[in-house]
Amino acid sequence: MSRRSLLGGAAVAPVAALGLPEPALAAHCAPLDHVAGLLAHDMVGQHAGRMHGVPSTYNWAKGPRVGVGNHPARHGFTAVSAWGQVYEDAAGSPARNVRVSCKDIGLWILSRRTGRWRSANASKRVNGANYVEDFAGNASKTADLRDEPGGAVSATLGGGWNFHLYSIRGRAPIDPHDVGGVVAVYSARVIMDDPNGPDERHLARYLASAGADYWLDRYVGAQAGTVADVGIGKARYLTSEWLTLTMSTLPLRKLAKNPPTICLRGRG
């Protein structure tokens, strides 16, 4: 995964999206409108805080925004993948005996032709790496991944590195002329690193956001021109309770009229 496409550039006007509480994903398959209003919109306003190591000049440093959006054909993109990113707060995080646990990542694509949504790139488990916080040179290192109950996967971050996560499934092929909307989601929470150590979860200052990338094809490597982000959702603080982060390329009024059905159970 590459965030080169996120660096700098002119700001894009944001659109509205919905947040999803974890019960909507864990208990049953649910349309977005069933949980509308339970969380703040993830594509309007500003992030809940500033992310450590992200330059203020980056057009996603202060708030969510749409990137390529619903127009992959303009750039020749034919594949898509969901991702998430977790950062320490700009002032740092005093918690030491903590990890971030993530699960249930995926995206939904709205067909322009049929008006129907389809699920793509979804998995219960996640993969990921620690990337340098400003994504300079796309530098990364192997993350300390650990399997958790319920299919979740946890990792550590900090010291100049974020946790950049993505589906364990391959990029999903798309018809670039038939994308009428994209919604990406995943869930995250703070857990203890050493269960026998001090419980510092309440001290953790971690910000998480969701997004997705378009690619030229399913297998091309990350370099200039081969990848660009669909959009980047609002960064919100994590707690010990599951929180689902979202990104959308559609305004709330369109999602309310035709919401995708979110269902990730049993995948991956």
Side-chain angles (χ1 to χ4, degrees), residues 195-259:
N196 298 315
D199 187 350
E200 299 178 325
R201 290 176 294 175
H202 63 290
L203 298 177
R205 299 285 287 170
Y206 287 169
L207 286 153
S209 63
D213 280 341
Y214 287 126
W215 298 81
L216 288 182
D217 59 47
R218 297 176 63 191
Y219 308 106
V220 68
Q223 58 187 20
T226 66
V227 57
D229 70 274
V230 181
I232 304 173
K234 180 180 292 183
R236 292 186 277 136
Y237 286 106
L238 299 179
T239 69
S240 59
E241 301 295 325
W242 285 112
L243 178 68
T244 297
L245 294 309
T246 78
M247 182 281 300
S248 173
T249 62
L250 290 176
L252 174 57
R253 64 183 182 278
K254 290 188 177 181
L255 284 173
K257 291 181 179 179
N258 183 18

Side-chain angles (χ1 to χ4, degrees), residues 113-138:
R113 298 188 182 101
T114 68
R116 295 180 179 179
W117 291 89
R118 70 177 178 91
S119 173
N121 191 232
S123 66
K124 168 72 69 175
R125 292 171 49 81
V126 305
N127 199 353
N130 294 126
Y131 277 72
V132 64
E133 292 171 327
D134 62 359
F135 290 102
N138 211 33

Side-chain angles (χ1 to χ4, degrees), residues 65-136:
R65 61 109 174 98
V66 174
V68 175
N70 302 327
H71 308 287
R74 295 178 181 175
H75 307 272
F77 295 127
T78 64
V80 67
S81 59
W83 55 258
Q85 56 185 9
V86 185
Y87 280 82
E88 285 189 324
D89 180 83
S93 177
R96 293 295 175 263
N97 188 36
V98 294
R99 303 172 67 90
V100 59
S101 183
C102 305
K103 67 175 183 177
D104 288 334
I105 190 168
L107 54 84
W108 285 259
I109 303 170
L110 177 65
S111 168
R112 290 182 184 273
R113 298 188 182 101
T114 68
R116 295 180 179 179
W117 291 89
R118 70 177 178 91
S119 173
N121 191 232
S123 66
K124 168 72 69 175
R125 292 171 49 81
V126 305
N127 199 353
N130 294 126
Y131 277 72
V132 64
E133 292 171 327
D134 62 359
F135 290 102

Side-chain angles (χ1 to χ4, degrees), residues 4-14 57-61 63-68 229 232:
R4 289 178 181 172
S5 58
L6 306 186
L7 310 186
V12 180
T57 54
Y58 287 8
N59 63 17
W60 52 277
R65 61 109 174 98
V66 174
V68 175
D229 70 274
I232 304 173

